[in-house]
Amino acid sequence: ADSDVILTMGPHHLSRAEALGGAGKSWLITEFASEGSSSRAVTDPFGGDLSAYRAAFNELEQEVTAVLKRIEQEHFPNPQ
């Protein structure tokens, strides 16, 4: 409840975050990063081999980069 933004990998975690006080400020990371144009879950590598974990890492790295870019644009639109 004390967080401004809660980002999750999948819909199950999203619904739990909302139920625990994060309603209205919880997002799938893909949805937040794309400003609503994508709402797909990040592939969960649990139980997979090393390549599945590397693929999930790469996917998350891309989404986190997009999240940071969005935050920067919204809160610091004209860096000097």
Side-chain angles (χ1 to χ4, degrees):
D2 294 333
S3 300
D4 293 327
V5 175
I6 302 165
L7 302 174
T8 66
M9 287 176 54
H12 174 71
H13 294 134
L14 177 61
S15 63
R16 289 297 299 144
E18 291 173 336
L20 293 170
K25 52 189 169 182
S26 298
W27 303 77
L28 287 172
I29 192 170
T30 55
E31 186 175 18
F32 188 88
S34 69
E35 298 185 47
S37 66
S38 175
S39 60
R40 65 176 177 72
V42 172
T43 305
D44 187 351
F46 185 75
D49 60 11
L50 182 58
S51 66
Y53 281 87
R54 286 185 175 149
F57 172 84
N58 291 335
E59 189 175 1
L60 283 169
E61 184 175 43
Q62 180 179 353
E63 296 302 329
V64 168
T65 299
V67 165
L68 294 175
K69 184 176 181 178
R70 176 181 173 179
I71 290 170
E72 182 178 49
Q73 289 173 344
E74 289 180 1
H75 296 282
F76 308 100
N78 296 314
Q80 296 185 22

